[in-house]
Amino acid sequence: MSKRFITLMLAIGVALLFAATYIYAGTAVQDAFKMETKEYAKHTKGLVEFTHKKHTEDHKIACGECHHDDKGKALELKAGDDVQKCVACHKETGKAPEGEKLAKKEKIVKYHKEALHANCIDCHKASNKKAGDPTGKKPAPTSCNDCHPKK
Ligand code: HEC
Ligand code: HEC
Ligand code: HEC
Ligand code: HEC
């Protein structure tokens, strides 16, 4: 094998490696990240730290508990699969109308904050209830400041 051939093969190898990283970067999700949906004109509360990997691996929650399709049907995913951001469908980042002007479900479908709160907080409440800690300690956060650190 000529030196030139080896150099060429090495160059192709490096290029492939870069291509692989590039494709992977398109679907990668960080282990933990601050939720800061850019569509909000301004975040009024402290940014929520979401432990994505801990939820899927330690808390053993299926991807489809949080990611669904355009009909709300749970998606069957595996690590590395691509998903849409919640705001792609739960588009409104303004304040949802108070009271009964809009049914709770409609608010959730339209408003980003309502969708995120329904997803995160409803599961945390159910999970704490199931855990049934007699000391009243709540392992999954349900109060504003436990998720939104004080600014
Ligand atoms: C389980 C965690 C959790 C709890 C508890 C929680 N939130 Fe949130 N909240 C979130 C997440 C996640 C978002 C979406 C942030 C984003 O994507 O930018 C959000 C968004 C918001 C927003 C819109 C973004 C902003 O900063 O203006 C407001 C307002 C808000 N929450 C207020 C509250 C209030 C008030 C409470 C208590 C009644 C509360 N939240 C409790 C997780 C939580
Ligand atoms: C407990 C809820 C929950 C579970 C379980 C979960 N995710 Fe997520 N995931 C989220 C949230 C919330 C985001 C942030 C979405 C946003 O910013 O709109 C996210 C982000 C992502 C992203 C990055 C999207 C982007 O464009 O930034 C990918 C990819 C992803 N999840 C894939 C998965 C896969 C695959 C699984 C299962 C192995 C999974 N998720 C399990 C809630 C969850
Ligand atoms: C492709 C569009 C789409 C994306 C992306 C999406 N949703 Fe939804 N979501 C919907 C639709 C449509 C419904 C209403 C389904 C129905 O009518 O039962 C819904 C319903 C919900 C509900 C209410 C569930 C119920 O049964 O009451 C919650 C909570 C929710 N979404 C949270 C999220 C979160 C959190 C994310 C991001 C991790 C997300 N959604 C991403 C379209 C989407
Ligand atoms: C389907 C259930 C479910 C959903 C949805 C969910 N969580 Fe959790 N979360 C849990 C459980 C279970 C724990 C661990 C409680 C314990 O320690 O026993 C937890 C713990 C946490 C913790 C404490 C740190 C940790 O990872 O142990 C934070 C912060 C948190 N969740 C934020 C969020 C946010 C923000 C969302 C929405 C984007 C969310 N969770 C959605 C079930 C859920």
Side-chain angles (χ1 to χ4, degrees), residues 3-145:
K3 255 190 189 159
R4 230 170 157 183
F5 183 71
I6 294 171
T7 315
L8 179 68
M9 288 329 262
L10 272 174
I12 292 173
V14 169
L16 281 176
L17 244 173
F18 268 107
T21 331
Y22 182 72
I23 292 164
Y24 183 71
T27 52
V29 52
Q30 288 173 276
D31 292 351
F33 51 91
K34 288 210 164 74
M35 293 282 305
E36 188 176 16
T37 299
K38 301 287 180 213
E39 282 75 0
Y40 283 92
K42 179 173 173 280
H43 279 75
T44 56
K45 305 286 287 177
L47 298 182
V48 177
E49 177 85 13
F50 179 50
T51 48
H52 194 271
K53 189 179 181 191
K54 254 179 124 180
H55 276 76
T56 56
E57 291 185 5
D58 299 353
H59 310 328
K60 301 200 183 340
I61 296 167
C63 314
E65 290 282 336
C66 307
H67 297 290
H68 43 251
D69 66 12
D70 60 357
K71 310 259 177 328
K73 188 173 166 285
L75 288 170
E76 278 179 39
L77 303 162
K78 54 182 185 331
D81 286 349
D82 216 347
V83 302
Q84 282 181 283
K85 290 195 184 283
C86 315
V87 77
C89 304
H90 303 276
K91 285 194 164 93
E92 297 285 338
T93 51
K95 206 166 176 291
E98 306 274 349
E100 298 304 315
K101 264 185 247 158
L102 206 58
K104 188 171 189 273
K105 179 69 181 265
E106 285 176 74
K107 282 187 209 171
I108 291 172
V109 176
K110 259 180 114 167
Y111 289 88
H112 184 265
K113 183 187 85 149
E114 309 299 323
L116 268 295
H117 280 178
N119 180 243
C120 315
I121 300 172
D122 287 3
C123 176
H124 285 178
K125 281 187 178 156
S127 151
N128 288 338
K129 205 167 166 187
K130 220 169 105 194
D133 187 335
T135 62
K137 231 180 97 252
K138 298 197 169 75
T142 54
S143 76
C144 314
N145 294 340

